[in-house]
């Protein structure tokens, strides 16, 4: 089976399963909501049924005063009094209470009084209603025949809804009985027949009470009366039709479904998306599995991103070129290429942009190199080229073309990136050295090219090895010194215009066991480049914390490298050291350089703000040498500017320096910042700076960096 087929099968399977799951969920939901709707309708029906019965009882109860009444028994049965009936039955029930139909039947069931539509009528008008009331009369008489039932019931009524003149009317037949001592003449009591239209007002009151929508009375045939409609049967009339109360049932399920639809839609989209992603993942896995052997081999020897040779193939080719060199004398060249500041592209634009840049570099390298050269991506932003059968001049030409070819702007989808590279070249005239050594030499040369300022190439020279070894050794020794508490801290005083010490600057000191004192200008950059600056910085800060506890009222300055600031854990570490030593943040002035602000990342800004909140103050060190603009000063919470000593050195004679110093002091004043002049060596410089309005001074004139004890002594002396 070919790959396409398998892919289709897999996709089909996933899509099928996803569709199945979605359909099933949909079904379940619909069934659940329908069920909810049915339950709601059944509930409403019960409610309405109960309500109707209640309503009938209310009608009946309203009749009680008329049908359980000694006087009614006397006037209607014992001795029929027509006038009494007219006044007490007809006028009040038919008039004031709104009964449409009122009849009195005697003990034989014959009509003796009638009142219809507000007027007395001849008793025989009852004939129109006899058919509809016959059943009720029979039922009432049956109860009357059972003395136990009569005794149990206070009043005997029977009601049902009937169509009268096409209109639904609630007919009630009630037994007229005494309430105290009157007695009927015969065995049977007279009957009161009343009819009250189940008018729309009643329905309205009813639907208001039960919150029914569109409630109305209707007459339906048996076939139309389906039990699953929202209706309650009021009665079944003689022709088999039914009088019903119908309404539009509430459909909570449907409402739920409607309100859940957007959510469901989203879920559906998510499910489809999920299925698609799953498919992609599976497809990728399947692809890997199904790669033909040739493809697998190609993959194992090439870089997937660029299609260039990978390290394995590179080594293979290098060994081969080396073997050729043995048989046929000539030169073999190896070039190591490293993109300058590639990490920044990756960090600012993201990995996709980084990948794009790498692919572009590969494309250009292919265009520059010959067919016989092997181009390889060693990893990350490192490339290498094997140039067989060359000479130093040929290698230099290629290196130069690469440096030029990989420079300038590159358009990435996300923006424009500046491209430049450094190249290290090693060329050997014979097979004397092993191929691994060749690569190492090219790498050393590359390192040198970078050190020399990037964007250039360098050839390997034997003395480079020595320099590199020295550097590596120093790095190792610095690490050891850090582990063994070998770094010391000196403090240089900061004074006011009168020479009174107001603060100190902590400066790292390292005495190498063999080489003696190493200048910070050497080991600080070294620490920065090999990842030790964090350890150096925190060692100095910890020492400064302890020492700060000995001096009261002295501001202690500590240098913070740009690299430290951009480390996300930096502020937390400072807090931890404060806690460990018991020192206070507001004693410290952190000196940062303009380069730290130049990065201007959110991380640096946030770190500075957090430090400020903790109580630290911030100074801009070496001010005037960098690029810090007014905007930077405004954006960051800086407290102090330190005028770089290069300006101070040429004071007071140099007009340019004077102008710069003056400008810095007035800028600081307008921003409400303090100024400290660094590197003050002569009284003339001091006088000049005092005149400019500078408030704080630091330099050999006022005090060299010294031990913590010496600072304490100097303060004693001043007192
Ligand atoms: P910086 O922060 O500008 O420190 C002042 C430097 O100027 C010190 O050099 C100090 O000895 C020197 N100096 C002070 N007064 C005078 C003077 O009157 N004339 C002259 N010519 N120089 C004077 P140092 O101690 O060699 O430090 C050099 C740099 O190393 C510092 O410059 C600072 O950037 C860095 N550094 C020192 N300690 C640390 C540290 O703990 N952490 C970090 N990140 N950097 C440090
Ligand atoms: Ca400093
Ligand atoms: Ca400085």
């Amino acid at each position: 089976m070919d790959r396409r087929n398998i892919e289709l099968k897999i996709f089909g399977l996933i899509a099928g399963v996803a569709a199945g799951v979605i359909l099933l969920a949909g079904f379940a939901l619909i069934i659940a909501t329908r069920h909810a709707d049915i339950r709601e309708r059944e509930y409403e029906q019960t409610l309405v049924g109960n309500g109707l019965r209640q309503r009938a009882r209310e009608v009946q109860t309203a009749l009680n005063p008329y049908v359980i009444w000694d006087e009614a028994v006397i006037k209607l049965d014992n001795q029929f009094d027509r006038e009494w009936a007219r006044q007490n039955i007809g006028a009040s029930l038919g008039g004031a209470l709104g009964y449409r139909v009122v009849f009195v039947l005697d003990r034989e069931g014959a009509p003796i009084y009638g009142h219809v539509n507000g007027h007395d009528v001849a008793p025989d008008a009852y004939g129109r209603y006899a058919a509809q009331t016959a059943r009720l009369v029979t039922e009432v008489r049956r109860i009357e025949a059972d003395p136990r039932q009569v005794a149990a019931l206070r009043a005997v009524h029977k009601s049902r809804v009937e169509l009268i003149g096409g209109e639904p009317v609630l007919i009630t037949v009630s037994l007229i009985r005494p309430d105290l001592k009157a007695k009927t003449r015969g065995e049977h009591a007279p009957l009161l027949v009343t009819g009250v239209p189940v008018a729309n007002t009643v329905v309205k009151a009813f639907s208001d009470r039960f919150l029914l929508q569109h409630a109305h009375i209707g007459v339906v045939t048996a076939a139309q009366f389906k039990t699953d409609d929202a209706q309650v049967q009021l009665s079944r009339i003689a022709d088999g039709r039914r009088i019903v109360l119908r309404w539009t049932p509430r459909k909570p399920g449907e409402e739920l479904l409607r309100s859940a639809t957007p959510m469901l839609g989203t879920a559906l989209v998510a499910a489809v998306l999920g299925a698609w992603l799953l498919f992609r993942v599976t497809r990728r896995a399947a692809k890997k599995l199904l790669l033909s052997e040739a493809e697998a081999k190609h993959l194992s020897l090439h870089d997937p991103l660029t299609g260039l040779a990978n390290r394995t193939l590179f080594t293979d080719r290098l060994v081969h070129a080396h073997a050729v060199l043995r048989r046929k004398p000539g030169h073999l060249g190896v070039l190591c290429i490293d993109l300058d500041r590639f990490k920044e592209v990756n960090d600012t634009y993201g990995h996709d942009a980084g990948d794009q840049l790498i692919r572009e570099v590969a494309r250009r390298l292919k265009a520059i190199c010959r067919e016989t050269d092997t181009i390889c991506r060693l990893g990350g932003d490192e490339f290498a080229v094997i140039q067989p059968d060359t000479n130093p001049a040929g290698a230099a030409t290629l290196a130069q073309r690469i440096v030029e070819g990989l420079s300038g702007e590159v358009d990435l989808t996300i923006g424009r990136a500046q491209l430049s590279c450094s190249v290290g070249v090693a060329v050997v005239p014979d097979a004397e050295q092993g191929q691994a050594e060749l690569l190492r030499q090219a790498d050393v040369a590359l390192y040198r090219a970078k050190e020399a300022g990037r964007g250039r190439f360098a050839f390997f020279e034997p003395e480079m090895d020595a320099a590199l070894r020295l550097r590596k050794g120093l790095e190792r020794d610095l690490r050891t010194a850090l582990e063994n508490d070998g770094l010391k801290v000196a403090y240089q005083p900061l004074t006011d215009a009168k020479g009174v010490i107001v603060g100190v600057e902590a400066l790292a000191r390292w005495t190498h066991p063999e080489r003696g004192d190493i200048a910070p200008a050497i080991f600080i950059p070294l620490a920065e480049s090999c990842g030790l600056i964090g350890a150096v910085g925190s060692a100095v800060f910890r020492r400064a914390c302890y020492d700060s506890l000995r001096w009261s009222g002295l501001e202690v300055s500590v240098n913070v490298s740009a690299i430290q600031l951009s480390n996300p854990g930096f502020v937390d570490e400072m807090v931890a050291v404060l806690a460990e030593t018991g020192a206070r943040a507001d004693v410290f002035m952190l000196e940062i350089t303009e380069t730290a602000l130049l990065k201007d990342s959110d991380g640096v800004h946030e770190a500075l703000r957090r430090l400020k909140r903790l109580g630290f103050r911030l100074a801009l060190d070496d001010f005037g040498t960098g690029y810090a603009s007014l905007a930077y000063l405004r954006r960051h919470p800086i407290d102090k500017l330190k005028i770089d000593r290069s300006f101070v050195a040429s004071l007071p004679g140099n007009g340019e320096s004077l102008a710069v110093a003056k400008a810095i002091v007035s800028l600081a004043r307008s921003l409400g910042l303090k100024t400290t002049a660094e590197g003050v060596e002569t009284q003339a410089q001091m006088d000049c700076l005092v005149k400019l309005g500078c408030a704080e001074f630091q330099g050999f004139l006022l005090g060299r960096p010294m031990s913590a004890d010496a600072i304490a002594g100097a303060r004693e002396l001043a007192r």
Side-chain angles (χ1 to χ4, degrees):
M1 200 182 312
D2 72 345
R3 202 164 85 195
R4 194 78 225 147
N5 263 333
I6 293 186
E7 266 181 22
L8 278 174
K9 275 229 161 113
I10 290 171
F11 183 66
L13 194 72
I14 291 171
V17 168
V21 167
I22 291 165
L23 274 179
L24 218 67
F27 258 147
L29 192 80
I30 288 170
I31 288 172
T33 52
R34 287 228 21 201
H35 201 74
D37 287 348
I38 292 172
R39 289 284 301 276
E40 171 68 18
R41 202 200 60 223
E42 283 171 357
Y43 169 72
E44 284 182 359
Q45 265 171 339
T46 317
L47 217 64
V48 171
N50 288 339
L52 280 173
R53 272 188 287 283
Q54 174 68 26
R55 172 80 191 137
R57 265 197 298 280
E58 280 166 18
V59 171
Q60 294 171 352
T61 311
L63 289 171
N64 281 350
Y66 297 89
V67 296
I68 304 176
W69 191 10
D70 277 0
E71 210 177 318
V73 172
I74 294 163
K75 301 287 187 195
L76 297 177
D77 177 71
N78 297 2
Q79 175 77 64
F80 178 64
D81 182 341
R82 189 179 166 73
E83 187 49 28
W84 185 92
R86 204 177 58 74
Q87 275 172 19
N88 294 285
I89 303 294
S92 68
L93 283 177
L97 296 178
Y99 283 81
R100 173 80 57 83
V101 179
V102 182
F103 280 96
V104 178
L105 309 185
D106 68 8
R107 74 183 88 94
E108 309 293 344
I112 48 174
Y113 172 75
H115 186 97
V116 174
N117 289 334
H119 304 286
D120 274 3
V121 292
D124 55 12
Y126 180 68
R128 258 191 78 199
Y129 310 99
Q132 280 118 323
T133 57
R135 223 164 93 193
L136 294 173
V137 171
T138 317
E139 281 171 22
V140 169
R141 289 297 184 207
R142 192 181 305 138
I143 295 171
E144 191 186 18
D146 180 350
R148 261 179 313 161
Q149 269 202 67
V150 177
L153 293 167
R154 204 170 115 70
V156 180
H157 303 281
K158 279 290 165 188
S159 305
R160 60 184 279 116
V161 179
E162 285 291 346
L163 275 190
I164 291 177
E167 191 190 10
V169 174
L170 179 70
I171 305 276
T172 304
V173 174
S174 319
L175 205 59
I176 300 176
R177 299 173 59 206
D179 59 340
L180 291 169
K181 44 188 195 290
K183 282 206 161 55
T184 51
R185 271 197 292 146
E187 211 175 306
H188 294 298
L191 299 174
L192 177 68
V193 177
T194 53
V196 60
V198 190
N200 278 331
T201 50
V202 176
V203 173
K204 164 106 182 31
F206 199 73
S207 54
D208 284 349
R209 185 146 131 211
F210 294 105
L211 298 174
L212 303 182
Q213 298 178 52
H214 312 125
H216 63 278
I217 301 272
V219 182
V220 297
T221 63
Q224 285 169 332
F225 183 74
K226 281 194 265 98
T227 46
D228 57 348
D229 280 343
Q231 55 190 350
V232 164
Q233 176 175 321
L234 300 179
S235 73
R236 190 171 157 173
I237 47 183
D239 59 5
R241 287 188 301 157
R242 318 202 175 190
I243 303 175
V244 291
L245 177 67
R246 327 181 74 172
W247 67 94
T248 311
R250 264 190 298 270
K251 298 209 164 147
E254 219 176 271
E255 275 160 34
L256 183 82
L257 200 63
R258 208 170 307 128
S259 65
T261 307
M263 217 166 68
L264 280 172
T266 317
L268 195 83
V269 170
V272 169
L273 218 72
W276 181 71
L277 278 178
L278 191 65
F279 166 66
R280 285 214 6 183
V281 170
T282 341
R283 190 176 62 169
R284 212 169 297 153
K287 247 187 197 161
K288 266 198 192 139
L289 279 175
L290 293 164
L291 276 184
S292 70
E293 213 180 65
E295 281 172 308
K297 192 164 175 211
H298 181 89
L299 250 187
S300 75
L301 294 177
H302 292 83
D303 167 45
L305 182 63
T306 58
L308 296 179
N310 66 10
R311 203 179 264 274
T312 314
L313 183 59
F314 182 78
T315 313
D316 204 53
R317 293 269 169 88
L318 197 56
V319 170
H320 178 74
H322 214 254
V324 171
L325 205 61
R326 253 177 239 281
R327 279 180 273 116
K328 183 176 157 248
H331 284 82
L332 173 60
V334 171
L335 295 85
C336 279
I337 304 146
D338 192 281
L339 302 187
D340 299 330
R341 300 194 176 84
F342 173 71
K343 201 176 161 298
E344 282 172 26
V345 173
N346 243 349
D347 289 352
T348 27
Y349 294 124
H351 285 279
D352 285 347
D355 285 356
Q356 220 180 337
L357 188 64
I358 292 291
R359 273 198 296 268
E360 173 62 15
V361 166
R363 196 188 61 74
R364 293 192 188 182
L365 281 177
K366 280 181 203 158
I368 294 166
C369 295
R370 292 219 187 110
E371 199 78 339
T372 46
D373 299 340
T374 299
I375 314 166
C376 149
R377 180 170 175 228
L378 292 176
D381 59 338
E382 284 174 62
F383 297 83
V385 176
I386 303 171
Q387 200 186 14
D389 197 16
T390 182
N391 54 38
T397 309
L398 179 59
Q400 184 57 35
R401 285 176 57 198
I402 290 174
V403 167
E404 281 165 10
L406 299 188
S407 73
E409 289 187 331
V410 179
D411 282 325
L412 304 176
T413 35
I414 204 146
R416 217 163 243 193
Q418 197 66 38
L419 180 62
S420 91
C421 75
S422 306
V423 180
V425 191
V427 179
V428 289
D430 47 46
E432 199 90 307
Q433 276 138 350
Q435 19 74 20
E437 173 62 12
L438 198 55
L439 189 58
R440 191 193 68 82
Q441 289 183 358
D443 205 43
V444 169
L446 170 65
Y447 191 84
R448 178 51 69 86
K450 281 200 172 276
E451 251 189 354
R454 302 165 201 255
R456 65 188 70 205
F457 72 90
F459 266 79
F460 174 77
E461 282 150 27
E463 60 271 25
M464 285 180 188
D465 262 350
L468 193 72
R469 261 197 294 279
L470 181 74
R471 200 191 147 90
K472 288 281 170 210
L474 217 53
E475 206 179 294
R476 195 190 51 230
D477 296 341
L478 180 60
R479 194 165 272 134
T480 314
L482 280 166
E483 279 160 13
N484 302 324
D485 205 14
L487 280 198
K488 299 285 173 265
V489 178
Y491 296 94
Q492 186 175 27
L494 272 71
T495 73
D496 63 13
K498 295 198 194 88
V500 178
I501 301 180
V502 292
V504 292
E505 176 173 1
L507 295 161
R509 292 292 176 260
W510 180 27
T511 307
H512 190 277
E514 288 132 37
R515 296 171 199 275
D517 290 345
I518 312 269
I522 302 287
F523 72 83
I524 293 291
L526 177 74
E528 282 178 336
S529 72
C530 70
L532 288 175
I533 190 66
V536 171
S538 71
V540 171
F541 182 57
R542 181 173 287 106
R543 188 67 253 155
C545 278
Y546 283 122
D547 288 334
S548 77
L549 299 175
R550 305 171 48 179
W551 312 309
S552 61
L554 275 198
E555 181 180 83
V556 181
S557 297
V558 173
N559 293 286
V560 174
S561 140
I563 295 175
Q564 283 174 278
L565 258 191
S566 34
N567 173 2
F570 173 65
V571 181
D572 290 339
E573 201 187 319
M574 297 291 278
V575 172
V577 174
L578 284 178
E580 173 196 331
T581 57
R584 294 163 44 145
D586 58 11
V587 169
F588 290 98
M589 174 71 76
L590 302 182
E591 297 192 356
I592 56 177
T593 56
E594 293 161 89
T595 31
L597 300 190
L598 225 92
K599 284 197 155 190
D600 202 35
S601 66
D602 289 345
V604 168
H605 187 69
E606 181 53 30
L608 293 180
R609 297 227 333 246
R610 276 186 68 200
L611 288 168
K612 275 296 281 191
R613 256 181 272 134
L614 286 166
F616 286 106
R617 266 158 296 148
L618 304 171
L620 264 194
D621 208 351
D622 305 340
F623 192 75
T625 57
Y627 310 90
S629 64
L630 206 58
Y632 284 106
L633 289 179
R634 286 236 172 86
R635 194 167 320 150
H636 301 290
I638 304 296
D639 301 280
K640 184 199 257 192
L641 301 182
K642 292 189 81 173
I643 306 173
D644 189 66
R645 56 175 181 277
S646 59
F647 303 113
V648 175
S650 45
L651 288 181
N654 186 313
E656 203 176 313
S657 293
L658 193 69
V660 172
K662 209 171 175 172
I664 294 175
V665 173
S666 79
L667 171 71
R669 190 173 297 146
S670 69
L671 291 173
L673 310 178
K674 282 205 290 184
T675 38
T676 302
E678 295 184 301
V680 183
E681 295 182 351
T682 67
Q683 193 59 48
Q685 289 166 349
M686 178 87 174
D687 293 342
C688 171
L689 286 158
V690 170
K691 235 180 21 214
L692 286 180
C694 186
E696 235 176 53
F697 309 88
Q698 179 181 4
F700 294 166
L701 177 71
L702 303 145
R704 296 210 167 230
M706 56 186 95
S707 68
D709 289 340
I711 290 285
R715 290 187 84 200
E716 246 352 277
L717 225 66
R719 226 162 258 163

mmCIF file of all heavy atoms in Angstrom, residues 621-622 645 678, ligand 3:
data_model
loop_
_atom_site.group_PDB
_atom_site.id
_atom_site.type_symbol
_atom_site.label_atom_id
_atom_site.label_comp_id
_atom_site.label_asym_id
_atom_site.label_seq_id
_atom_site.Cartn_x
_atom_site.Cartn_y
_atom_site.Cartn_z
ATOM 1 N N ASP A 621 26.047 54.569 34.955
ATOM 2 C CA ASP A 621 27.501 54.611 35.045
ATOM 3 C C ASP A 621 28.093 55.087 33.726
ATOM 4 O O ASP A 621 27.469 54.982 32.678
ATOM 5 C CB ASP A 621 27.996 53.178 35.346
ATOM 6 C CG ASP A 621 29.300 53.191 36.104
ATOM 7 O OD1 ASP A 621 29.893 54.276 36.246
ATOM 8 O OD2 ASP A 621 29.717 52.102 36.556
ATOM 9 N N ASP A 622 29.304 55.616 33.792
ATOM 10 C CA ASP A 622 30.058 56.015 32.594
ATOM 11 C C ASP A 622 29.208 56.881 31.686
ATOM 12 O O ASP A 622 29.238 56.746 30.458
ATOM 13 C CB ASP A 622 30.522 54.777 31.810
ATOM 14 C CG ASP A 622 31.316 53.810 32.666
ATOM 15 O OD1 ASP A 622 31.822 54.256 33.713
ATOM 16 O OD2 ASP A 622 31.408 52.632 32.299
ATOM 17 N N ARG A 645 34.796 59.160 33.476
ATOM 18 C CA ARG A 645 36.070 59.785 33.826
ATOM 19 C C ARG A 645 36.827 60.306 32.608
ATOM 20 O O ARG A 645 37.718 61.140 32.739
ATOM 21 C CB ARG A 645 36.940 58.870 34.672
ATOM 22 C CG ARG A 645 37.255 57.527 34.136
ATOM 23 C CD ARG A 645 38.248 56.806 35.062
ATOM 24 N NE ARG A 645 38.568 55.499 34.512
ATOM 25 C CZ ARG A 645 37.818 54.435 34.686
ATOM 26 N NH1 ARG A 645 36.706 54.523 35.412
ATOM 27 N NH2 ARG A 645 38.145 53.297 34.134
ATOM 28 N N GLU A 678 33.336 61.062 38.066
ATOM 29 C CA GLU A 678 34.262 59.950 38.315
ATOM 30 C C GLU A 678 35.682 60.351 37.921
ATOM 31 O O GLU A 678 35.869 61.211 37.059
ATOM 32 C CB GLU A 678 33.909 58.757 37.430
ATOM 33 C CG GLU A 678 32.582 58.120 37.683
ATOM 34 C CD GLU A 678 32.440 56.899 36.780
ATOM 35 O OE1 GLU A 678 32.503 57.037 35.545
ATOM 36 O OE2 GLU A 678 32.289 55.818 37.349
HETATM 37 CA CA1 LIG B 3 32.236 54.460 35.833
#
